[in-house]
Amino acid sequence: MNAAFRIPGAGRLSQAKTASFSFDGRSYIGIEGDTLASALLANGVHLVGRSFKYHRPRGFLSAGAEEPNALVQIVRDDARKTPNVRATVQELYDGLTANSQNRWPSLAFDVSAVNDLASPMFSAGFYYKTFMWPKSAWKSLYEPQIRSAAGLGVSPDRPDPDHYAARYAHCEVLVLGGGAAGIAAALAAAETGVRVIFADEQAEFGGSLRFESGAKIDGENGYAWAQAAIAKLKAMDNVRVLSRTTAFGYYAQNFVGLVERVSDHLKAPGRELARERLWQVRASRVVLATGAIERHMVFANNDRPGIMLASAARTYLNHYGVAVGRNVGVYTANDSAYAAAIDLKKAGVNIAAIVDLRDNPTGPMIDEARGLGIEINFGRAVIRAGGKLRVSSMTVQPKNGGGERTIPVDTILMSAGWTPSVHLFSQSRGKVAFNEETRRFVPGTYAQDCVSVGACNGTDGLDAAIDEAYAAGVKAAKEAGGKDSSVKTGKGAKPKVDASESWSRGMLGAAPGAGPGTTVKAFIDFQNDVTAKDIRQAVHEGMHSIEHVKRFTTNGMATDQGKTSNMHGLAIAAETLGKPIPQVGLTTFRPPYTPVTFGSIVGHARGALFDPTRRTATHGWAAAQGAVFEDVGQWKRAWYFSKAGEDMHAAVNRECVTVRKTAGLFDASTLGKIEVVGPDAAKFMELLYTNPWEKLEPGRCRYGIMLREDGFIYDDGVVGRLAPDRFHVTTTTGGAPRVMHHMEDYLQTEFPHLNVWLTSITEQWAVIAVQGPKSREIIAPLVEGIDMSDEALPHMSVREGKICGVPTRLFRMSFTGERGFEVNVPADYGEAVWEALWAEGQKHGATAYGTETMHVLRAEKGYIIVGQDTDGTVTPNDAGLDWAVGKKKTDFVGIRGMARSDLVAKGRKQLVGLKTKDPKVVLEEGAQIVDDPKQAIPMKMIGHVTSSYWSENCGLSIALALVAGGRDRMGQTLYVPMPNGTIEVEVTGTVFVDEKGGRLNG
Amino acid sequence: MLLIRCPYCEEERPELEFRNAGEAHVVRSTNIAGESDDDFEKFFFIRSNPKGVIYERWRHIHGCARFFNAVRDTVTDKFVMTYKAGEPKPAKLPGASK
C-alpha cells in the first residue's frame, strides 16, 4: 500500500519494503531508505513543528543537514528521547516514534501562537530590552516563562543507556564530502596508494547527484556512477569509506573531528553496537568537497508549511519517489528551480506557475520548461504566501510594483541561488574572499594543508568540478608521498562527464515586497525567527558590525548555525548600512558544523571510567574491616573504621584515644615519595628545600619545606638520608606529581650541572604507619637486622633492613606526636606485612585508623597540612616554621621571594590555635574571624579557621587558624560570627597535646 | 590539537603529551638572594606576552619527560621550531627573511 504522495516507479527506493512509524501519535507507512521527512511528505504531512519565538507553524525547508524547521523528538524508550533531531536527516526504521516540539496543547492548535500576534513585543533585541523591570520578577516570573515558552524539545531525564565509541586515525588524504567532486578527489588520491579516509554525512554517497537527474558520468546516470565509484573505493585496502559521518570540527594542523552515526538508523540496535563513533583524524592533506547549500527567497510568510527549497523537492522526488504537492508554484532568481519544475511536471505534478525575478533569462532549462507548457513569469515577485498551517496561494506582482494576482498553490519551491559551504574551510582559519561577479564568499587564503574543490570552492558545473577535484586529489596524494606512476591515465582514471546541469548566480537579501520600509514577516533565519525587518532594525539601533547584528538579532545562532540565513542577513545589513558586502564581512564559522551529542565527545570516559581510581595495597583488607573510604585526588583512602553501632564521630573518638593510649595502624602509602640520588643529591636538596641538608647524617631524617620562587610554601614532608648520595623524600599525597615536576624543572633547566637523578617511588613502597606508645612492641618481633632501641633508632631516623622477611625502609617518625614508625615495604608485600603487624597489634589492643583520625591527631600537635592550613600565600614564618629555614644558606628556591617587603611586613596572617569558650562547640573550617562582633557589616575579617576538630583526647574542640598578627594575640578573645550566632574563641599556641614533645621520644 | 616536535625524541607528537612551562630564556640569577627588588620583579613577575613570536618552555611530560624550548606564533599557534633546553635563543628563525 503506497502513501498518497508516493509516485509509483519514481525514486530509487524499493517501494515494496514498507516500514511503519508514528508522528504525534498517528501511525503512518513509509518505506525502507526513507528519511522521516520523506516518509511524512509521502503521507502529505508538511506541518511538523512550531517556531522558536513566534510559535508559527513550520514544515520542511530542505532535505538535508541545513534544515532549520523540521526538528522533532525521536523516542525509543524512557531514556532515549532525543530532542531537536532534524527529520530530514533521521533515517526511517520500522517502529520509529517521533513527536513534534514546542507546541501546546497540539501542533495544529498552539496556545503560544499568540506570540505571533504580539510580535511587536518580540522584535530584535527583545531579550535585552524587555523584562528588565522589576528586577525581582526576572528570576520568579520572566525567565521561567520565557524558558518554558521558548524551549526546543525536552531533554531526556534519565542517564543515557547507549555507549559511544572513539577512534583515532591517521591518513595522507582526508576527503570530506561525498558528492561528485569528493568522489573524484578520493578516486584520484586512492590510486596513488596513500591512505585515504573519505567521509560523507548522508547514508549514501552522491551529494547533489541524488537529485540532479541530468548528470551523466562515464556513460552512467550520475547517481549510479557514484555508487559504482564508492564500491570500487570500498574494495581498496588503502581507503576507508565512512558514510553517515559528519566532519564537525576542523582543528589545528589538519586534525579533524568526525562523528559517525552507527545505529540511530536501526530498528533495534544490539547492545554491542555503539550509538555513535567519534573519529579524530590527523591527515597530511585535507580535500574539502563540502558542496553548496541552496538559499530560500525572502518574502512575506515564506515560512508557511509547504514552502521549501527547490533542490529539496527534487531530492524527495528523484531519490525518495515523493511528490511534495499536487499544485506547485515556483519562485526563483536562478535556473536551478526550473529543473525542479521540469522533474515534477514530468512526474505528473501540476506546476501552477514559475515566478522568476530576473527580467529575460535564457537557457536550455527555461526552454525545456516552456516546452512542457509551464507558465513562466519573468520580472515578477511573489510578495506574499497565503495559508497558515499549509501554504494555499502565492500572490504575484511585477517586481517594480503593479497589479497583484493570487495563484492557488499547495506548495512553493524557491531558490535564491547557492551558498558555497565554506564552514570547514573557515574553521581551518582560512580567510574567505568575496567574488564580486558571482556575489559569493569563496575560499581565499589558506591557513592549513587543505584544498577546496567543487561547489564549496565556487566552481560551477559538474565538468569543471570533477576536473578540479581529480587534479586536487592527485596533487594532495603526491605531496603526502603518493606514487606518481601509479596514477592511471586513460580509461578508468579521471571520470568523464557526458552530460550535466549547470546554473549559477541568484540573489542575496530581501525580495521585492520585503524591502526597506516594509513590516512583513519575511524570514531570513527560520529557526530563530529572524526577519528581514529585524536586521534593518538592528542596524538602525546602532549595530554596525555584522558580529553585533548577529548577536542582537540572533541571526545564525540557532542549531542550524545559519546555513541558509547568513548570506541573506549579511546582504540586508550591508544594504541598510550602505556598504559593500565585503566591508561588512562574514561572521566567523566555529565548530560544530551540525550539533554533536555530548555522548560522542565523552565516549567511554564516564561513570567508573571517568577517572582512574588508585587503591593502596591494604584496600581490600580495609574494606573487609568496614572502612569508609574518602576520595583524595584519585586515591581511595580509608576515612575511618566503624565498629558495630558506631557512627563516624564515635569511631574517630575511639581511634584517637586508642592511638595515644596503646597504638594504631594507618596506611600512609598515598604519600608521594621521590628518591633523589647522585653525587650532588645533597646540593640539590639544599637548593630545593629551605632546610640545610649537607650535614644531615645518613640514617637521619629531617622535616623539609619546599617553597616556590615567590617564597610561599609549596609542599612539605619528611626526608630520610639513606646514604650520602641518596635521599628518600616524601611529599603530600596531592602534591606528589607537581613536586616531581618542580624538581625536574629546576634540575633540567636551572641546575643542570648537578649530577642527580630523580625517581618517583610512590607506587613502589607501601607505607604502614604504626603510631603510639606500644608501636615498638608491635613492630620489633617482625624486624630483622635493625636495632630498635631509642639510642640506636631515635626519633627522626631511618634504617634499612627486613620485616617479615622482606626488605624495608623503616622510618622512626611521627605525624601523631606519639612514638611512631613508618614501615616502607615493596608494595606487593604491603597487605601481607600489614596483616602481620595487625596480628601483633591485636595483642596490644591497637586499632586501625583512617584519615580523619590522622587529621585530628596531627592537629592536636599543631602539625600543618599544606593546602589546608596553607593556601599558597603562607610563608614559613607565617606558619611558625622559621626554624626549618637554613639561616646560613645563600641560595634555595624561594630565598629571594621570601624577603620581599610584603612578606616580612608586620600584621601578616599567622598560624595560631583557637579554643572555643564553650569547649563543646566545634568551629566550621573556613569560618571568618573578627575582633569586634559589634562592628557594622561588612565587618573587617582578620583571619579564618583552617582546621577544626573535636579532640576526644583533650576533651574540647580545637582549631588552627590564620589570624592577622596572630602570634601577638595569645590569650586574646576573638569572634567567629556564624548564621546561628557569634562564637567566642581564645587565641592559643598551636600545640594542644604534649607541648614539650616528650611522648615523641618514647 | 597541535603537533609538537620534541627535540630529544626527534619526533612530532600530539599536544596531549606535553605541558607548557611558561616563557623561555628567563634566567635565574646565581646570586638571587642579593638581587634588587627591581631585578627580582623582572625575573619573577614580568613576562613579554607578545602577539606573535614567543619563546617558551614545554615539557614532554608524558613522553621523555624532558624540558625544551619552542618558538611559537601566538596568533596562528604554529610552532616555528623547537630546541633543547640550555641552547641559546636562535639568532635566526626558519622561514624568516633576515
Side-chain angles (χ1 to χ4, degrees):
Chain A
M1 183 196 74
N2 266 327
F5 288 81
R6 188 85 62 182
I7 300 176
R12 304 192 181 94
L13 312 184
S14 167
Q15 297 195 356
K17 293 183 181 168
T18 61
S20 66
F21 69 102
S22 80
F23 179 66
D24 275 351
R26 271 191 68 178
S27 293
Y28 299 96
I29 302 290
I31 55 182
E32 279 183 23
D34 261 331
T35 59
L36 177 59
S38 67
L40 283 167
L41 287 168
N43 287 279
V45 178
H46 277 258
L47 172 63
V48 285
R50 288 274 174 173
S51 72
F52 182 61
K53 196 158 82 172
Y54 301 134
H55 286 251
R56 285 170 67 102
R58 290 284 166 82
F60 304 98
L61 178 74
S62 74
E66 70 270 36
E67 179 60 37
N69 282 335
L71 304 181
V72 298
Q73 186 124 20
I74 302 290
V75 182
R76 276 192 192 267
D77 54 40
D78 279 354
R80 294 176 175 92
K81 300 181 215 173
T82 313
N84 299 330
V85 174
R86 288 153 295 156
T88 54
V89 171
Q90 173 66 49
E91 292 173 60
L92 191 68
Y93 53 81
D94 191 46
L96 182 144
T97 304
N99 292 316
S100 58
Q101 303 180 158
N102 205 27
R103 83 288 188 265
W104 185 85
S106 76
L107 189 53
F109 178 73
D110 177 8
V111 166
S112 296
V114 69
N115 286 5
D116 195 20
L117 301 174
S119 59
M121 266 182 72
F122 299 111
S123 66
F126 90 100
Y127 296 103
Y128 309 112
K129 299 178 198 159
T130 320
F131 311 121
M132 295 302 283
W133 183 90
K135 200 176 165 191
S136 62
W138 177 254
K139 255 190 162 164
S140 56
L141 183 63
Y142 299 147
E143 189 177 346
Q145 288 291 319
I146 293 170
R147 280 188 186 280
S148 71
L152 278 177
V154 183
S155 309
D157 50 9
R158 297 197 187 180
D160 186 345
D162 290 317
H163 70 99
Y164 298 80
R167 290 281 295 272
Y168 286 92
H170 299 262
C171 64
E172 276 68 47
V173 180
L174 172 64
V175 182
L176 300 173
I183 292 171
L187 283 170
E191 281 169 3
T192 70
V194 299
R195 292 172 300 173
V196 175
I197 295 178
F198 184 24
D200 188 77
E201 62 187 352
Q202 303 271 358
E204 301 95 8
F205 282 69
S208 61
L209 296 171
R210 294 200 311 160
F211 63 79
E212 277 190 35
S213 49
K216 216 172 155 192
I217 305 170
D218 288 344
E220 283 186 275
N221 160 280
Y223 185 80
W225 167 82
Q227 304 318 304
I230 292 303
K232 182 181 167 193
L233 287 165
K234 279 184 177 167
M236 296 174 81
D237 290 339
N238 59 324
V239 182
R240 185 188 289 281
V241 177
L242 297 170
S243 60
R244 300 188 176 93
T245 303
T246 304
F248 64 84
Y250 197 132
Y251 304 96
Q253 288 173 290
N254 277 356
F255 188 72
V256 180
L258 305 98
V259 167
E260 179 185 5
R261 287 167 296 280
V262 179
S263 62
D264 270 356
H265 63 292
L266 299 176
K267 175 183 168 67
R271 286 291 299 154
E272 73 283 0
L273 274 188
R275 182 177 171 218
E276 294 179 329
R277 179 177 294 117
L278 176 70
W279 289 86
Q280 294 175 80
V281 178
R282 179 83 68 178
S284 304
R285 296 289 184 281
V286 176
V287 178
L288 297 169
T290 47
I293 292 172
E294 197 169 24
R295 289 186 304 277
H296 57 281
M297 298 293 287
V298 180
F299 62 100
N301 299 335
N302 61 345
D303 62 327
R304 292 304 186 203
I307 304 180
M308 64 170 63
L309 298 174
S311 60
R314 278 187 96 189
T315 306
Y316 290 122
L317 177 69
N318 294 339
H319 192 75
Y320 299 102
V322 173
V324 293
R326 303 213 189 281
N327 185 32
V328 176
V330 177
Y331 183 24
T332 187
N334 89 99
D335 283 358
S336 65
Y338 282 81
I342 292 163
D343 286 352
L344 280 162
K345 180 79 180 175
K346 285 180 177 168
V349 175
N350 185 52
I351 305 297
I354 295 176
V355 179
D356 194 328
L357 260 183
R358 297 172 296 178
D359 282 328
N360 280 303
T362 55
M365 283 190 186
I366 294 163
D367 295 341
E368 189 179 356
R370 195 176 281 127
L372 287 167
I374 298 172
E375 178 194 329
I376 303 175
N377 302 277
F378 290 141
R380 285 179 159 68
V382 173
I383 55 164
R384 92 181 70 88
K388 192 153 192 197
L389 299 179
R390 174 78 186 261
V391 62
S392 61
S393 66
M394 58 183 190
T395 299
V396 181
Q397 191 184 38
K399 69 179 179 188
N400 298 319
E404 294 180 9
R405 171 185 160 214
T406 297
I407 304 171
V409 292
D410 63 6
T411 308
I412 299 175
L413 308 183
M414 49 187 176
S415 178
W418 294 76
T419 308
S421 288
V422 294
H423 306 76
L424 291 173
F425 168 78
S426 177
Q427 285 182 25
S428 79
R429 295 193 179 184
K431 294 267 176 283
V432 292
F434 191 69
N435 183 316
E436 284 292 347
E437 194 199 334
T438 59
R439 297 179 63 72
R440 297 184 295 207
F441 278 105
V442 293
T445 316
Y446 284 85
Q448 298 201 35
D449 288 329
C450 63
V451 58
S452 300
V453 297
C456 73
N457 196 34
T459 304
D460 296 317
L462 189 56
D463 218 348
I466 285 185
D467 271 3
E468 175 180 73
Y470 195 84
V474 171
K475 182 164 181 275
K478 274 161 66 180
E479 286 169 353
K483 288 195 257 350
D484 192 13
S485 57
S486 65
V487 179
K488 290 178 197 157
T489 50
K491 200 166 184 285
K494 193 173 89 180
K496 186 173 165 296
V497 177
D498 303 312
S500 69
E501 304 173 353
S502 77
W503 57 76
S504 60
R505 308 302 171 88
M507 69 163 310
L508 296 171
T518 61
T519 57
V520 296
K521 283 206 180 67
F523 287 91
I524 293 172
D525 182 330
F526 294 101
Q527 204 178 348
N528 267 351
D529 273 349
V530 181
T531 64
K533 178 178 76 78
D534 291 332
I535 303 284
R536 292 188 202 105
Q537 186 194 336
V539 173
H540 289 141
E541 293 192 11
M543 311 300 143
H544 290 178
S545 150
I546 195 65
E547 296 286 354
H548 289 158
V549 171
K550 167 182 162 177
R551 283 157 183 79
F552 193 68
T553 61
T554 70
N555 187 44
M557 288 171 70
T559 61
D560 69 326
Q561 295 269 292
K563 290 184 179 59
T564 49
S565 67
N566 278 340
M567 288 307 295
H568 282 319
L570 173 57
I572 295 169
E575 183 192 19
T576 313
L577 285 162
K579 284 186 186 170
I581 283 176
Q583 273 187 34
V584 179
L586 200 56
T587 53
T588 310
F589 293 100
R590 294 192 179 84
Y593 174 70
T594 50
V596 174
T597 62
F598 282 110
S600 65
I601 290 171
V602 170
H604 290 123
R606 61 177 185 167
L609 299 178
F610 178 67
D611 205 23
T613 300
R614 301 173 82 183
R615 294 184 180 85
T616 69
T618 66
H619 187 90
W621 185 92
Q625 294 284 320
V628 176
F629 293 90
E630 69 167 336
D631 291 334
V632 181
Q634 292 170 333
W635 288 104
K636 295 281 176 199
R637 298 195 74 180
W639 192 11
Y640 57 92
F641 291 81
S642 250
K643 287 192 173 174
E646 279 182 341
D647 61 5
M648 177 178 172
H649 189 63
V652 171
N653 285 349
R654 174 183 50 75
E655 291 173 15
C656 285
V657 169
T658 310
V659 173
R660 295 221 187 279
K661 209 166 97 195
T662 54
L665 266 68
F666 173 70
D667 187 337
S669 304
T670 66
L671 281 184
K673 295 175 279 292
I674 298 169
E675 205 158 282
V676 178
V677 183
D680 296 323
K683 273 189 195 138
F684 181 72
M685 290 298 294
E686 290 271 341
L687 286 165
L688 267 290
Y689 283 83
T690 59
N691 322 62
W693 300 95
E694 297 273 17
K695 288 184 182 153
L696 182 70
E697 283 172 29
R700 296 308 306 258
C701 302
R702 183 161 285 165
Y703 169 74
I705 299 176
M706 172 178 272
L707 307 183
R708 296 181 309 205
E709 206 70 84
D710 59 10
F712 295 124
I713 295 175
Y714 190 54
D715 202 74
D716 69 349
V718 169
V719 178
R721 189 169 197 175
L722 298 170
D725 62 351
R726 186 174 296 261
F727 291 83
H728 179 115
V729 176
T730 67
T731 75
T732 55
T733 293
R738 66 162 188 262
V739 170
M740 184 74 183
H741 183 70
H742 177 84
M743 285 183 169
E744 280 287 353
D745 191 351
Y746 278 94
L747 179 60
Q748 290 183 33
T749 66
E750 294 295 348
F751 314 129
H753 54 281
L754 296 181
N755 198 353
V756 174
W757 290 267
L758 303 170
T759 311
S760 168
I761 52 168
T762 304
E763 306 264 351
Q764 272 59 49
W765 296 96
V767 184
I768 303 159
V770 185
Q771 302 277 317
K774 300 283 185 194
S775 54
R776 179 160 56 198
E777 278 106 308
I778 293 169
I779 296 170
L782 304 174
V783 170
E784 297 164 49
I786 300 174
D787 183 345
M788 298 280 293
S789 68
D790 283 336
E791 296 71 38
L793 189 64
H795 179 56
M796 295 302 265
S797 54
V798 57
R799 296 289 179 277
E800 291 180 274
K802 282 193 168 178
I803 185 166
C804 305
V806 304
T808 182
R809 288 179 180 175
L810 180 64
F811 285 75
R812 167 108 190 243
M813 57 182 276
S814 175
F815 201 41
T816 59
E818 300 298 321
R819 173 205 298 280
F821 299 87
E822 291 196 358
V823 182
N824 286 248
V825 291
D828 285 350
Y829 300 113
E831 188 167 17
V833 173
W834 173 284
E835 288 197 33
L837 285 166
W838 176 246
E840 284 299 320
Q842 291 301 86
K843 297 175 190 167
H844 301 277
T847 182
Y849 67 96
T851 50
E852 187 65 20
T853 290
M854 176 269 283
H855 275 106
V856 177
L857 295 175
R858 66 89 201 174
E860 287 174 350
K861 289 292 295 178
Y863 297 150
I864 64 162
I865 288 189
V866 169
Q868 175 167 345
D869 301 298
T870 70
D871 59 6
T873 65
V874 175
T875 67
N877 183 282
D878 298 340
L881 297 170
D882 245 357
W883 57 267
V885 178
K887 301 291 176 298
K888 291 179 191 155
K889 291 175 70 168
T890 56
D891 196 2
F892 58 81
V893 174
I895 192 169
R896 180 61 184 82
M898 219 171 65
R900 289 181 289 151
S901 54
D902 276 359
L903 272 66
V904 295
K906 269 200 172 316
R908 286 187 60 81
K909 287 185 185 174
Q910 294 170 327
L911 193 74
V912 294
L914 296 180
K915 282 182 185 167
T916 49
K917 289 283 165 80
D918 176 352
K920 296 264 181 275
V921 175
V922 179
L923 295 168
E924 219 168 282
E925 286 173 357
Q928 296 292 325
I929 299 164
V930 302
D931 57 5
D932 172 14
K934 296 199 174 69
Q935 63 186 299
I937 291 170
M939 297 187 190
K940 183 177 164 53
M941 296 176 288
I942 59 168
H944 65 276
V945 178
T946 60
S947 292
S948 174
Y949 308 94
W950 169 255
S951 165
E952 185 74 3
N953 284 310
C954 301
L956 50 82
S957 126
I958 60 166
L960 298 174
L962 285 166
V963 177
R967 287 200 289 272
D968 296 330
R969 294 180 186 264
M970 289 300 140
Q972 271 187 25
T973 299
L974 297 177
Y975 302 88
V976 180
M978 297 298 288
N980 299 329
T982 298
I983 302 166
E984 273 185 74
V985 297
E986 182 196 335
V987 181
T988 70
T990 55
V991 184
F992 300 91
V993 165
D994 185 28
E995 217 167 324
K996 295 207 171 95
R999 300 175 69 95
L1000 273 174
N1001 300 309
Chain B
M1 188 169 27
L2 298 169
L3 285 173
I4 302 173
R5 182 180 170 81
C6 172
Y8 294 96
C9 298
E10 299 185 342
E11 217 179 301
E12 276 198 331
R13 307 292 302 168
E15 187 185 338
L16 288 175
E17 295 183 10
F18 298 84
R19 182 187 294 178
N20 184 284
E23 188 156 0
H25 303 294
V26 177
V27 180
R28 186 181 190 273
S29 166
T30 49
N31 177 28
I32 195 163
E35 260 190 334
S36 69
D37 282 351
D38 282 352
D39 286 345
F40 184 72
E41 181 193 28
K42 278 187 199 119
F43 160 71
F44 189 70
F45 294 104
I46 307 300
R47 294 294 179 268
S48 63
N49 193 26
K51 181 178 180 181
V53 170
I54 188 170
Y55 296 79
E56 60 189 3
R57 307 188 316 132
W58 284 79
R59 185 180 184 205
H60 194 185
I61 189 161
H62 301 297
C64 66
R66 301 295 297 268
F67 284 81
F68 60 89
N69 294 328
V71 187
R72 182 174 61 92
D73 189 315
T74 59
V75 178
T76 63
D77 266 351
K78 276 193 179 150
F79 280 81
V80 180
M81 64 179 293
T82 57
Y83 52 101
K84 291 177 181 176
E87 288 179 6
K89 206 169 180 170
K92 186 181 169 223
L93 296 178
S97 50
K98 285 215 171 133

